Amino acid sequence: MISNTTASYGRVARFFHWSIALLVLADIALGLIGKFTTRSGDTVAFLQLLYSTHKTIGVTVLALAVLRVIWAISQPRPVPLHPERRLETFAADTAHGVLYAAIFVLPLSGWVIHSAEAGFAAIWWPFPQSLPFVPKSERLAGAAANIHWIAGILLAAMVAAHIGGAVKHALIDRDGTLARMWNGRAAGNAAAHPGKGASFLATIGIWTFAIGGALIVFAPTHNEDSASQLPAQQTEGWVVQDGNLAITITQMGAEVTGSIANWQADIEYDEKTGKGTVKTVLDTTSLLLGPVTDQAKGPEFFDVAAYDTAVFQGDIVQIDGPRHRASGFLTLVEQSVPVTLDFDLEVTEGTAKVSGGTALDRRDFGMGTAYPDESSVGFSVEVRIDLVANRAG
Ligand code: HEM
Ligand code: HEM
């Protein structure tokens, strides 16, 4: 049967229940895997796929939830099987109420995070990216993330209790509760239908407490590990304590040395094999180059207004003793150029010292085309890197 009766769930109600249950369980798992995956250069692509899947599943849940509620309102609800067990019936009804609300609160709070933060992982077709009326705002994204997190905990606790209840009915009471949701069997005395007022109030109370608590108590803390941040300086490999990234150019025959103040490095290195990987993200807006800083940041060179980051990603191999080489690609002003950087690495008691450098040719990146010879600005750009890192953990 398509429709419910007062003793059974019809096909449509069961389709909504089980499809949403499956998608919600998958999304809880994906959300938690995402939360506990280290943010690093190596995991960025994985996290992007994971969150796009998570978000698209979540928005699908929202669409199904809207249809489900419209359907449920138009249908009779099957009566409880043991109306005389008043506390148990109240608990089950409250859990159902909290679960119904959760399939709205979670997708909506998630969608607010997504709309309010600068893009990270897209929601896939056919859903729109942003909710109307949600501005781009870190604060709003943070508040929504708190609600999402606390609502996720509440949902997981309720699902656990709900599944526990279903198993108890099947194994201990041996009644038709699970069967009537599973295959539509009729069960229960259709005449008995107690009021739902108390469980409705309890549902509202629980959600008010959860969302209020998420906004008040947790507000200042949760922001830090937002999924949209750049890979953090800390990885399971090495944590950079201190470092300097110096740049030297030649202008009118004289050397000018400056630096890039803000950068982050994710380094993994295995001392036994002498092999590792490095990913460095440079904030080119923090470039300082003495008197020619503005010129260097301008459209002719680093063009920081259009490209505010540069990325070096490569593999590290040991050449001989402390001598190492990082080979990879430097992406700057949208040009990816192969770069090798030789450096000395000394590891003593969990602290690594790195010092090395490389020379780049500005023409490889299409920089300074208005200066086709070296009379004004030299072709070569020297890069020196010195850093101290500690082993993480
Ligand atoms: C049934 C629906 C959903 C469930 C059960 C769910 C559950 C979760 C869980 C358990 C987490 C990990 C805990 C956390 O970091 O807060 C999470 C994270 C996240 N979810 Fe969802 N989610 C759902 C829908 C959505 C939707 C529709 C979106 C966006 C369109 C979304 C966006 C996010 C984002 C951006 C994070 C990372 C939050 C952060 O880093 O602070 N979620 N979700
Ligand atoms: C896989 C685990 C699950 C099992 C075994 C299960 C089992 C059941 C059963 C047997 C019922 C019928 C209760 C009755 O007739 O009184 C039910 C109803 C319900 N379940 Fe689940 N469920 C599961 C997962 C979920 C999840 C993840 C959600 C969250 C969205 C959910 C939401 C609901 C709701 C809202 C109802 C009430 C439906 C109504 O009467 O309109 N269930 N579930």
Side-chain angles (χ1 to χ4, degrees):
M1 246 207 316
I2 294 222
S3 307
N4 291 0
T5 68
T6 47
S8 67
Y9 286 103
R11 271 184 210 286
V12 179
R14 282 182 286 131
F15 163 77
F16 280 132
H17 177 271
W18 291 113
S19 57
I20 291 178
L22 210 70
L23 295 174
V24 163
L25 292 175
D27 242 13
I28 295 177
L30 289 173
L32 291 178
I33 295 171
K35 186 172 179 67
F36 294 108
T37 301
T38 318
R39 269 80 173 126
S40 80
D42 291 339
T43 56
V44 165
F46 167 73
L47 283 170
Q48 206 154 1
L49 177 66
L50 181 143
Y51 278 109
S52 281
T53 313
H54 175 82
K55 291 171 182 179
T56 308
I57 289 178
V59 179
T60 309
V61 167
L62 181 61
L64 288 170
V66 171
L67 297 176
R68 179 177 183 179
V69 165
I70 293 173
W71 180 254
I73 290 171
S74 73
Q75 295 290 303
R77 271 195 77 197
V79 291
L81 289 186
H82 311 283
E84 72 289 356
R85 300 185 198 160
R86 298 187 59 149
L87 192 64
E88 191 181 301
T89 306
F90 166 75
D93 280 343
T94 306
H96 293 167
V98 171
L99 291 171
Y100 265 123
I103 56 180
F104 289 88
V105 175
L106 274 143
L108 282 172
S109 56
W111 214 350
V112 172
I113 310 177
H114 177 80
S115 306
E117 70 186 5
F120 169 67
I123 301 170
W124 287 320
W125 187 88
F127 301 110
Q129 290 303 318
S130 294
L131 282 171
F133 313 119
V134 177
K136 294 273 176 226
S137 150
E138 284 280 315
R139 269 179 65 97
L140 180 62
N146 291 328
I147 293 177
H148 202 64
W149 171 232
I150 297 301
I153 293 175
L154 180 58
L155 167 67
M158 278 301 150
V159 169
H162 180 70
I163 294 176
V167 170
K168 172 195 169 270
H169 279 285
L171 299 184
I172 299 176
D173 298 341
R174 292 177 183 277
D175 62 22
T177 307
L178 184 54
R180 90 178 168 175
M181 185 49 96
W182 187 247
N183 56 26
R185 207 176 90 184
N189 171 7
H193 211 310
K196 297 247 186 284
S199 63
F200 182 71
L201 285 182
T203 300
I204 298 205
I206 290 171
W207 276 109
T208 308
F209 187 71
I211 295 180
L215 288 178
I216 298 163
V217 183
F218 299 92
T221 52
H222 186 70
N223 263 342
E224 298 128 35
D225 56 0
S226 163
S228 64
Q229 282 176 357
L230 278 176
Q233 196 136 334
Q234 176 165 347
T235 69
E236 64 269 18
W238 295 84
V239 187
V240 176
Q241 300 297 321
D242 191 15
N244 184 36
L245 205 149
I247 291 189
T248 303
I249 60 149
T250 310
Q251 206 221 2
M252 311 288 236
E255 282 193 348
V256 182
T257 296
S259 66
I260 289 187
N262 296 335
W263 49 278
Q264 295 178 324
D266 285 310
I267 302 168
E268 277 172 34
Y269 176 73
D270 183 349
E271 289 160 73
K272 291 188 201 80
T273 58
K275 290 198 168 119
T277 56
V278 57
K279 174 166 178 173
T280 310
V281 181
L282 315 167
D283 170 4
T284 52
T285 62
S286 69
L287 173 70
L288 291 171
L289 210 51
V292 290
T293 300
D294 288 343
Q295 196 188 359
K297 284 184 177 178
E300 188 61 32
F301 293 95
F302 281 84
D303 197 5
V304 302
Y307 311 100
D308 56 5
T309 48
V311 178
F312 173 70
Q313 191 154 18
D315 294 324
I316 299 172
V317 288
Q318 185 172 25
I319 299 170
D320 183 23
R323 212 70 207 129
H324 287 70
R325 174 167 293 166
S327 318
F329 283 85
L330 173 64
T331 307
L332 186 62
V333 292
E334 250 182 3
Q335 307 295 317
S336 277
V337 173
V339 166
T340 54
L341 186 141
D342 288 348
F343 60 94
D344 285 335
L345 170 74
E346 283 171 41
V347 183
T348 40
E349 289 171 12
T351 300
K353 271 192 185 168
V354 170
S355 62
T358 189
L360 309 173
D361 188 320
R362 66 174 166 87
R363 292 168 299 179
D364 292 342
F365 299 91
M367 283 184 174
T369 41
Y371 306 89
D373 60 28
E374 298 200 85
S375 59
S376 176
V377 187
F379 293 143
S380 177
V381 178
E382 302 286 333
V383 179
R384 257 212 78 76
I385 181 154
D386 294 281
L387 63 86
V388 178
N390 286 347
R391 203 194 303 278

